Each structure stands twice: as structure tokens, then as C-alpha cells.
Amino acid sequence: MANPKDNGGAVDGAGSILSTVAGPAEPPHPERLGPPNPIADQLLEKVVTDEQLAADMPFNETKPLEYGEAAFTPHVGETRTPASELATAGTSTETVASPKVGDGQPDLGDNPLDGPLDRVRVDDSGRELTTNQGVKVADNQDSLKIGLRGPTAMEDFILREKITHFDHERIPERVVHARGSAAHGYFESYADHSAITRASLLGEAGKRTPVFVRFSTVAGERGSADTVRDVRGFAVKFYTDQGNWDLVGNNIPVFFIQDAMKFPDLIHAVKPEPHNGMPQAASAHDTFWDFASLSPEITHMLMWHTSDRAIPRSYRMMQGFGVHTFRLVNAQGASLFCKFHWTPMAGTHSLVWDEAARLAGADPDYHRRDLWEAIEAGQFPEWELGVQTFSAEQAAQFPFDVLDPTKLVPEEMVPVRPLGKLVLDRNPDNFFAETEQVAFCAAHVVPGIDFSDDPLLQGRIHSYIDTQISRLGGANFHEIPINTPLAQIHNNQRDGMHRQSLNRGRVSYEPNSLAGGCPFQAGAAGYTSFPEPLTAAKVRGKPELFADHYSQARLFWNSQTAVEQNHIIGAFRFELTRVQTPAIRRRVLAGLVNVAQKLAQGVADGLGMAVPPPLPLATDLPIHNYPSSPALSLFGRPGTTGIRTLRVALLVAPGVDAGQVRQLYAALLDGGAVPRLVGERVGPLPGSDLDVEISFETGPSMVWDGAIVPDRADAYTLVDDEPQSTTPGGTLLNREVAAVEFLRLQYRHDKPLLALGNGAQLVYAAGLPLALPDGEIDPGLIIAERGGSGAALERFEGALVQRRIYARETDPPRV
């Protein structure tokens, strides 16, 4: 061995440090690793301090705490502090900087993947076109050819990259909830709710938590229409400082089935039939109703599914529910059962079926467009998060089992307690990167939120993660920016498809000493499950209270207004009319007999069938009689936002009173509504300085919440008792078939209408009844004399707030 005095310091064991395999029995401590070299100096420092860190933990001191009585109290993991930051590094070169790897100053204990989405936003302003490797593209119009008319050269890597990426731009769509729309926003807690939960987002008044919310239909494919009759998903991802919490719910508080074992059967039944791939995004076919008629636990959900709840006016105007019974757990370990409710400030409103069916063709993106436009206009949608809480002792006294997802807790039994508000204030920058790639999982909860033993929920805890792994290419879907939490991620998970994290160091296990025991378990500060004591035999089955399939279906029916009941009957009639197998229709009718005779008779009449005997009950327990619940009716949830965001069509034609139109337009706009001029063709309106904004063809009746027919500025002359415009080349609206049909559909869909002065001629031309079927004056069909627009508009806005004039409905319609 060389004399240290000759080479500037001891070098014993230097070769082992410069190698990666084996070494002496005692740790080498040379003073240098050869000629002066700053990286070598760091390697030496790394190895020496790494050994010291490992030696500081001769054994796992916390191992005994995993057993016996000690295991009931979560413990904080054992840690040691390294003498040098290099001790826990994976390489001695981590301080080497470059524009790609960074500035060479690693932030210990930091995970930059949880930063704001600004880090992954891209803008091309002022930039030249490049390949995915950053090579500038000279010609993006033509492939590389051998001569102008020759074959394409295989070496054209620019063409190949472009086509290859295009070929792979689609990922597998969701099996369910494929059709969706989403937005960013925040949740703000009203108060300190730490008495009921240790979830930090509810721990102080005014605390704001970022959220990403996705709304969706269930049955349809990604390209299906928004307005089909279906359940709507209402999924909220809270980016809390304790990690991500996904409250994955629906706009209906109950579900079709009671156990996750049946979920594949339900979805197979409602999806397009496998032999012919029809129908798309619809339950009106034999396989669904065959399954439904043999699964009586579905009855309560069918009442909601055939009600107007299944055709919401807007994502902004529908409730949301957690569906299942969850637990809230506070810092002291006390637990309450809970049900989550989202209540829209705009009220809970719906479409009518004929309108929804027409919208599917006129604007299949109707709900997506509505959400986007409202947010872009600064009319941010808002919901209030409320919770029903009750103890296990209270739950035991209910006439239903709170673990049964086909049951709800009536608000008259347990009131909803407001917790905070949700505001959506930013649209996604990229639909695919955010709305399509967002991954919601029922298993994503934070401390203070826990599960119940609901057998459907227990299956969802597994299913959501499993399907995201398949859909998004592997177990690292949490590293996609929209899914990454704001809370730091630190664990020993490594590798896998599309891994983004460059984990520092060589340790990927726990317990360890080579990384100072890090990352270490958090003990009581981490997530702990509620220690519910259980003693039971393994069994496949359900509690007897689950066998009550009709009492809450009857509750829902009895809580609906006469209008809503008629809509339910009409929906059953439509759905079952499309069913071709008479035996299936009879089974459905037999189940409805157990809900209400009026319901069964109304549906049977619509099908030309006799009411069959009732289906046998699955239990000898008596059907519980609930008092009706006004909270279950849409009529009890008008909202507080008035006419904000409601769309109003002003029908214009040559000769219209331009001054009056502008006054109406400004007044509606000031009230928060969205008025637009609708005419035969877009562009300048002959004879005036007005511009038609949208045509009858592009903006059909269904997309408007109400309509106004303004007065004319010129005079009418009567020719054969027909009004005739004196404007050269002008046409009257009542001579335009599109305008007449527009008004008839507005009336048929129960929309408010206002006609001023000679605008009433269109009402007469359309043949609209001025009185309701009972002879009363129609409050939503307002005809005002010339000059009375101010008071008439006030009446119109009052009707607009009510959304629809259901009292004019008849079956079949009068117009």
C-alpha cells in the first residue's frame, strides 16, 4: 500500500468505494479516491455517511409494537437523521446541473409532481412546429417522396411520427360513465366541523380546497348524447392537504342493486344488446327490463330512473349524492354514519321527455356546452355540501338497513346539515389530459372519512382502482398531472408502465436503515380505519331488511306531485313499449302493483294490457308506510339564482321594433339571463340595424328556456283577414313555418312565452291555447299591448324563474 505521505492521504478501501459489488468486512474510510475530483469527493462523503446512517439503526426498535395490545395504537416509524444529504442520494452526481435534470440542488422531502398544473401547460404562441423530439419541421404539408410523383420514402420519420401518434391517440373509454364533462373549482368549509370528522378540509371556517368535478352519463359510450334518460355521475376529487379524497356519487341517492356481485350483470343488461349492438345509451330494451323484472330490489331505483331526475336540465341544476352510507371519524376516534348530499344553488330542474329526445339530435353536447358556457361567462355553478349524520344506535331503529344502497334516509327523519359550498370556476385547458384522464376511485379517502360495510361500496373500493389501471395503462395513473395530489407522495412503489418519478437513492423498501428509515410510517397522524368490532360467520347473503323492495319506492311515488307522477307513468310506458317480449312487460307491471295501483294501472293502460297480480314479496316483514317527503319532489327545490344563465330567444324578422328589442335584451342581460336574437338567417336584419345571432335551424326551440316575440315597428294592413307587412321584401314570423313550429314546441315543453303588440300574431298563427286545460289563464303565456313591455317582462321573468308551466300539460299534448 502506498505511503499516505506520498499520495496526499490514505486510500485504503478506495477501490471498494469505486466499485458496486462487495467490500471489506469493516467499512473503508479512505481520505480520497484518487486525484482531486469534486464528484469523487462527494462519492466518498456519500459512502461514509451512508454507512454511519445504517449503523445508527442496529435493529428495528418499533417491531414489538406490531403485536398484541400495542398494535391497537398506531405508532410513528423509527427514523434517523443523516450526517450528510448525500447519504440518502442514489448517485454522487445528483448535484450536476443541466436544463434537463434540473439545477442540481435536490429539495429533500419534496415531490415536485404535486405542483400546480402550470408546470405541464403548453402554449404554442410564436413557436415553430417541431417533432415530439423537438426537431423543427420544415414542411408539414407533404410527405417525403422520391420525385414529385414517386413513392414515399420510408425514411420520412416526420410522417411516421405524426401518423403513429395519431393512430394511438385514443385510450380505452370507461366501461361506465364514459360520456362526461368536468371543471375545476374549490370547496369552502362553512365552519369548523372537527367535532364530527378529522378531515382537514372541514377543519376550519373559510378553508378552501381545490377540486376537480366530473359529471357523466352511465350507460352510453363516449360519443353518445348528453340528454338520454340515465343516471348522472357526480364525482368530486378534493385535493386536500391530507391527500386526495374522491367522493364518487350520482345524481340519484339510491342504486339499482344491493351487492357488488351483481354489478357486472346490471351493466351487461343495460348496455347495447350483444347480438346487434343496440340500443345506444338507453335502457328501453328487453335485456335491461328482463334483468329488472327479475330483480325486485331495483324497484326504488326504477322510480327515480323513470322520473324527471333522469333527464336533468343541466349538470348545474341537479343534486348529487354519495349514495352509500359512509363514516365520519373525529380526532378522538368517535364515529358517526353519514350520507353526503350536494344541493345546487340554481335549483333542481329537469327537461321534459319530448324535449330531451329532440335535444339528443339537435345538440348532443347540450349539457357539456351548458356547463362550459356558464363557467366561461363567469356564472360559476355552486352547490352546497350537506351531510346526514346518525349513530349506529339510531340506525338500528330505522325501518330499513343503512347498509342497503337501494334505500335512502328521508330528510324528515334525519335533516341535512350544511358543511360548505362547492364552486366551479375554471374550465379544463385540455379535455383529454384532464377530463378523460382523471381517475376517480371510491377507495380514495382521507383521515376522517371511512367506509361502511355496504356490500356495494365494498366492491367499488376494488373495482374503481382496477379499472383505472386497465384504462390508463398501469398502476402509475396517479402520476398523470390531473390525478396527482397536492399532498406529497412518498412511498416505496417503483417502476411500472409510464413511471414519471425519478426516485432518489437506492432504498425502495421499509423498514430500512440505508435511507435513515425514510419514508417512515406516520402513526396516529396517518389514516386509521375505524376499529369496528365484528364477530360473524362467513356467509353469502343479505340481511332480512334488505328484502323490503317496495316501501321506499312507494315513498318516492307518494312524494311526487301529480305532474311528476304522470311523467313517471309516461316514462314506464315509453320504455316498456320498446320491449318486445310481453312476459317481461307483465313482470314489470306486477312489480309496480306493489308500489301503487294508480301507477300500475296507468302504465298498463298505456301498454294496452291488464294489470297482473302483484309479484310475491321476498319477506314476511310488513311494508313500512313512510309519510311523504317534499324533499324528494323537484317542485320543492326551485333554487336561489333567479333567471341567471337561463337562455331566452327573442324572435325577430324584418319590421321588428328594434328599440324595443334592445330594451328587452338589455333588461334580460342585466338580470343574468342569456338573450339572443333568433331569426330565419344570421346576419343583418333587413330594414333595421339589428343582427340576427342564431337561426331557427341552429338554435331550435329545445335549447331555450323561454321566448319573446317583440312588437313590430311598422303597421299591419289586413288582407283577407291576414296580417300583411308593409315592409318591402319583409316577411312576418307568422308566415315562417320554422317560427310557428318554434313557438309550438316552446308551448308543448311548458316554456314561458311573451308576445308584445303585434307579436301576438305569431301566437295566434301557432294555434296556442290562451287558457289552461282547466280554463284558468295560462300564467306563462303572456300577451301584452303595445307599450306595455316593462310590466309584461316582469311577469315573464317571474314565470321564467319557475322554469316550466306544467299546468298546461295534457297527454297527448294539445299542440
Side-chain angles (χ1 to χ4, degrees):
M1 185 69 65
N3 189 325
K5 293 180 181 179
D6 297 333
N7 57 24
V11 293
D12 291 3
S16 293
I17 293 177
L18 292 170
S19 301
T20 58
V21 178
E26 291 296 323
H29 294 294
E31 295 181 16
R32 63 185 181 87
L33 297 178
N37 182 326
I39 296 300
D41 293 343
Q42 291 184 181
L43 174 59
L44 180 59
E45 179 181 346
K46 171 180 167 23
V47 172
V48 172
T49 55
D50 191 35
E51 164 56 24
Q52 292 174 353
L53 188 62
D56 286 344
M57 194 180 292
F59 62 92
N60 184 352
E61 296 176 353
T62 65
K63 192 66 177 176
L65 301 179
E66 298 175 20
Y67 306 98
E69 291 294 325
F72 284 86
T73 303
H75 60 276
V76 175
E78 183 181 0
T79 65
R80 298 291 185 274
T81 301
S84 168
E85 294 178 358
L86 286 166
T88 56
T91 171
S92 62
T93 62
E94 72 173 9
T95 58
V96 176
S98 82
K100 178 63 175 176
V101 300
D103 61 10
Q105 299 295 322
D107 294 324
L108 301 187
D110 182 57
N111 184 341
L113 293 180
D114 62 8
L117 293 180
D118 289 340
R119 63 194 167 86
V120 292
R121 288 196 176 93
V122 179
D123 183 74
D124 299 326
S125 300
R127 294 293 185 175
E128 296 165 305
L129 186 70
T130 73
T131 70
N132 284 334
Q133 308 307 314
V135 178
K136 292 180 180 179
V137 176
D139 184 340
N140 190 46
Q141 313 306 315
D142 303 288
S143 54
L144 183 64
K145 305 178 186 71
I146 310 303
L148 291 178
R149 299 183 68 251
T152 299
M154 190 173 180
E155 71 181 63
D156 190 350
F157 66 94
I158 296 175
L159 169 68
R160 295 208 317 272
E161 179 194 87
K162 185 176 182 180
I163 294 296
T164 299
H165 192 281
F166 174 77
D167 291 344
H168 295 266
E169 282 179 356
R170 295 295 176 266
I171 63 174
E173 71 176 31
R174 293 167 169 87
V175 176
V176 289
H177 297 278
R179 173 74 182 182
S181 304
H184 293 276
Y186 63 87
F187 172 78
E188 182 176 313
S189 181
Y190 286 155
D192 179 354
H193 303 292
S194 57
I196 59 172
T197 178
R198 59 184 287 218
S200 63
L201 79 161
L202 295 168
E204 61 182 270
K207 182 168 184 175
R208 287 190 175 185
T209 299
V211 299
F212 190 69
V213 181
R214 186 175 186 270
F215 307 101
S216 56
T217 54
V218 173
E221 296 174 1
R222 191 160 53 194
S224 57
D226 280 344
T227 59
V228 296
R229 181 177 295 281
D230 200 355
V231 183
R232 298 305 191 283
F234 194 128
V236 182
K237 185 180 289 291
F238 298 87
Y239 301 97
T240 86
D241 50 21
Q242 295 175 305
N244 285 357
W245 172 32
D246 291 350
L247 182 52
V248 192
N250 291 330
N251 73 322
I252 292 175
V254 293
F255 205 64
F256 296 91
I257 53 175
Q258 296 174 323
D259 194 296
M261 183 70 83
K262 298 303 296 175
F263 191 75
D265 299 303
L266 166 68
I267 301 306
H268 288 170
V270 77
K271 283 287 190 177
E273 298 192 9
H275 65 303
N276 60 20
M278 297 185 291
Q280 173 58 233
S283 57
H285 57 100
D286 287 51
T287 58
F288 173 75
W289 287 98
D290 183 38
F291 174 83
S293 63
L294 294 171
S295 307
E297 66 269 26
I298 205 172
T299 307
H300 187 196
M301 183 63 173
L302 290 180
M303 303 305 298
W304 288 80
H305 178 67
T306 55
S307 78
D308 293 339
R309 300 286 188 139
I311 44 174
R313 157 63 178 81
S314 163
Y315 289 138
R316 301 177 293 112
M317 300 173 192
M318 70 181 194
Q319 286 182 278
F321 303 91
V323 179
H324 307 285
T325 296
F326 289 86
R327 285 186 183 273
L328 297 177
V329 185
N330 67 14
Q332 292 72 45
S335 169
L336 288 171
F337 284 129
C338 73
K339 292 275 194 178
F340 292 109
H341 294 245
W342 293 108
T343 301
M345 297 297 100
T348 306
H349 303 284
S350 70
L351 302 169
V352 294
W353 173 243
D354 182 73
E355 177 186 29
R358 291 171 182 268
L359 273 169
D363 187 3
D365 303 312
Y366 181 72
H367 286 152
R368 178 175 294 176
R369 191 183 317 282
D370 173 89
L371 180 68
W372 179 275
E373 290 178 350
I375 294 174
E376 288 295 287
Q379 297 282 7
F380 300 145
E382 294 187 14
W383 288 261
E384 186 170 74
L385 176 63
V387 66
Q388 292 174 295
T389 58
F390 44 92
S391 66
E393 293 73 23
Q394 288 174 295
Q397 302 303 312
F398 294 161
F400 55 90
D401 196 318
V402 298
L403 301 184
D404 181 353
T406 68
K407 306 295 194 301
L408 55 78
V409 180
E411 293 186 30
E412 291 74 19
M413 188 176 291
V414 179
V416 177
R417 168 183 175 177
L419 297 181
K421 69 176 180 178
L422 168 71
V423 179
L424 299 184
D425 58 5
R426 177 168 178 160
N427 281 314
D429 289 293
N430 183 274
F431 185 89
F432 177 81
E434 297 170 88
T435 305
E436 278 299 297
Q437 290 196 127
V438 66
F440 294 95
C441 298
H444 292 170
V445 292
V446 294
I449 311 293
D450 206 344
F451 311 110
S452 73
D453 293 330
D454 177 336
L456 180 62
L457 174 60
Q458 292 290 315
R460 291 179 73 202
I461 292 170
H462 161 74
S463 180
Y464 278 70
I465 290 179
D466 192 43
T467 192
Q468 302 297 5
I469 289 173
S470 174
R471 192 175 70 87
L472 296 173
N476 290 315
F477 65 84
H478 64 282
E479 291 196 331
I480 297 173
I482 192 63
N483 296 319
T484 303
L486 292 179
Q488 294 271 307
I489 300 174
H490 295 286
N491 55 46
N492 294 309
Q493 297 172 13
R494 296 291 189 272
D495 308 337
M497 295 280 285
H498 312 304
R499 184 70 172 181
Q500 304 295 307
S501 300
L502 305 178
N503 294 92
R504 180 174 176 270
R506 59 175 171 169
V507 167
S508 57
Y509 54 88
E510 191 274 334
N512 70 73
S513 66
L514 293 175
C518 299
F520 58 97
Q521 63 188 40
Y527 187 89
T528 54
S529 297
F530 181 72
E532 182 182 16
L534 295 173
T535 302
K538 292 181 180 178
V539 61
R540 293 187 185 273
K542 293 179 277 288
E544 188 170 9
L545 275 180
F546 276 48
D548 172 10
H549 301 146
Y550 301 107
S551 64
Q552 290 211 352
R554 185 178 297 173
L555 162 65
F556 184 81
W557 170 261
N558 290 336
S559 301
Q560 304 304 293
T561 63
V563 168
E564 292 169 302
Q565 289 183 347
N566 288 336
H567 289 179
I568 292 172
I569 291 173
F572 270 109
R573 179 184 68 204
F574 173 84
E575 295 271 317
L576 295 175
T577 297
R578 296 182 65 89
V579 170
Q580 292 186 295
T581 308
I584 294 174
R585 296 179 184 173
R586 281 194 293 272
R587 281 203 303 265
V588 175
L589 284 172
L592 297 183
V593 174
N594 289 322
V595 178
Q597 185 65 33
K598 176 184 175 183
L599 170 62
Q601 187 66 60
V603 177
D605 290 345
L607 298 173
M609 300 175 66
V611 176
L615 283 181
L617 304 181
T619 177
D620 293 330
L621 294 174
I623 296 180
H624 185 76
N625 289 317
Y626 293 88
S628 63
S629 173
L632 298 180
S633 170
L634 291 176
F635 283 53
R637 300 183 175 278
T640 59
T641 57
I643 66 171
R644 281 174 46 197
T645 74
L646 300 187
R647 301 185 182 100
V648 180
L650 284 81
L651 277 55
V652 296
V656 72
D657 186 338
Q660 183 187 75
V661 168
R662 285 195 167 91
Q663 289 176 352
L664 294 168
Y665 200 100
L668 289 166
L669 207 61
D670 290 342
V674 183
R676 299 187 78 188
L677 303 189
V678 184
E680 186 176 4
R681 296 287 186 270
V682 296
L685 189 66
S688 79
D689 58 350
L690 297 175
D691 273 88
V692 176
E693 298 174 82
I694 187 170
S695 67
F696 292 114
E697 179 182 47
T698 307
S701 171
M702 297 76 69
V703 305
W704 306 98
D705 295 293
I708 299 176
V709 188
D711 201 355
R712 291 179 62 84
D714 59 347
Y716 282 100
T717 60
L718 293 180
V719 180
D720 296 330
D721 296 326
E722 290 282 344
Q724 176 75 31
S725 174
T726 60
T727 303
T731 58
L732 291 174
L733 285 172
N734 60 306
R735 291 185 179 276
E736 295 184 17
V737 174
V740 170
E741 181 66 9
F742 185 102
L743 225 60
R744 285 175 175 167
L745 288 175
Q746 285 278 298
Y747 181 88
R748 187 186 305 172
H749 298 153
D750 308 321
K751 306 289 184 64
L753 296 168
L754 169 61
L756 297 168
N758 282 325
Q761 295 295 328
L762 182 59
V763 174
Y764 306 142
L768 306 186
L770 300 184
L772 299 173
D774 62 4
E776 295 293 322
I777 298 297
D778 188 330
L781 181 52
I782 303 161
I783 296 178
E785 297 295 330
R786 175 170 290 186
S789 61
L793 180 62
E794 187 174 341
R795 290 170 57 200
F796 173 76
E797 290 181 343
L800 199 61
V801 168
Q802 302 302 315
R803 300 300 199 275
R804 297 185 193 274
I805 313 303
Y806 285 114
R808 70 167 67 131
E809 281 192 346
T810 57
D811 188 10
R814 294 189 291 170
V815 173

